[in-house]
Amino acid sequence: MLPKALHKGDVFDALLDEVRLVDTQTPVIFDASGVERMTTSCALLVLATARAQEAGDANTIIENPSGVFVDAFSDLGLFDQLMTLEFRT
């Protein structure tokens, strides 16, 4: 599960370390149900992870995205890119 506050700092660094270890042949699942704050850097990290997974023939799945999670991408003009990902509720 993604933390409530996705911002640059320790949380971002921990998330970055986790996605660096992901096998690009295995789907990545982000449980975004509890996200209450999200910065630009974290939104870009989600999209970069998704692109890396696509290059390795795996996909990225967003589970139960909160309104804040979706709004962050919309506010950044990245909503169309978010919508290319798989969603589960």
Side-chain angles (χ1 to χ4, degrees), residues 1-6 31-37 63-69:
M1 175 181 270
L2 292 173
K4 289 182 180 183
L6 281 170
D31 179 348
S33 60
V35 174
E36 296 176 358
R37 180 174 174 237
E63 285 189 338
N64 303 310
S66 69
V68 170
F69 182 88

Side-chain angles (χ1 to χ4, degrees), residues 59-82:
N59 55 339
T60 300
I61 301 162
I62 307 297
E63 285 189 338
N64 303 310
S66 69
V68 170
F69 182 88
V70 174
D71 288 347
F73 287 88
S74 183
D75 292 347
L76 294 168
L78 300 171
F79 183 76
D80 59 331
Q81 291 185 39
L82 177 65

Side-chain angles (χ1 to χ4, degrees), residues 8-58:
K8 196 139 173 88
D10 292 341
V11 172
F12 177 83
D13 292 341
L15 184 58
L16 181 59
D17 288 342
E18 283 185 43
V19 298
R20 283 181 176 155
L21 299 174
V22 173
D23 175 9
T24 57
Q25 301 297 315
T26 305
V28 171
I29 301 172
F30 289 114
D31 179 348
S33 60
V35 174
E36 296 176 358
R37 180 174 174 237
M38 187 168 190
T39 61
T40 301
S41 57
C42 288
L44 294 175
L45 179 58
V46 169
L47 291 178
T49 301
R51 298 304 164 246
Q53 294 307 102
E54 288 173 7
D57 289 330

